[in-house]
Amino acid sequence: MEDVQDEFPCYGYRRVTHELHRRGHLVNHKRVARVMRANGLGIKPRNRYVRTTDGGHDSPIYPKLYGNPGEAQHGLGG
């Protein structure tokens, strides 16, 4: 299992289980997950959130210029 993890470091327990089956080892996916977790062989999850704004600045903050048409010009009562 460690050989597969060394060869494919981005593989999680599902891919490691599939690779072990391909290499002729009969193992259960739950055992692979448990052994990987116990030995610290898991992968780091991808960070899917990207922060695109920085609110800690001294520049002026402009009003929302997109969204519902006419909302920025006429306000809510328009």
Side-chain angles (χ1 to χ4, degrees):
M1 190 176 323
E2 291 177 1
D3 296 336
V4 175
Q5 191 70 20
D6 290 340
E7 190 174 344
F8 304 105
C10 61
Y11 275 19
Y13 77 92
R14 290 184 178 102
R15 285 180 169 178
V16 171
T17 304
H18 182 75
E19 183 64 25
L20 289 172
H21 286 183
R22 197 180 70 73
R23 294 182 185 191
H25 300 285
L26 184 61
V27 290
N28 190 315
H29 68 96
K30 292 179 278 188
R31 177 175 293 219
V32 172
R34 185 174 61 242
V35 171
M36 286 179 66
R37 192 169 41 243
N39 292 326
L41 295 176
I43 60 172
K44 181 180 177 186
R46 279 187 275 177
N47 186 6
R48 296 180 186 270
Y49 176 75
V50 177
R51 185 173 180 179
T52 59
T53 58
D54 177 23
H57 55 75
D58 294 331
S59 301
I61 298 174
Y62 294 98
K64 179 177 165 184
L65 298 176
Y66 60 91
N68 294 333
E71 181 181 328
Q73 293 86 9
H74 302 292
L76 296 176

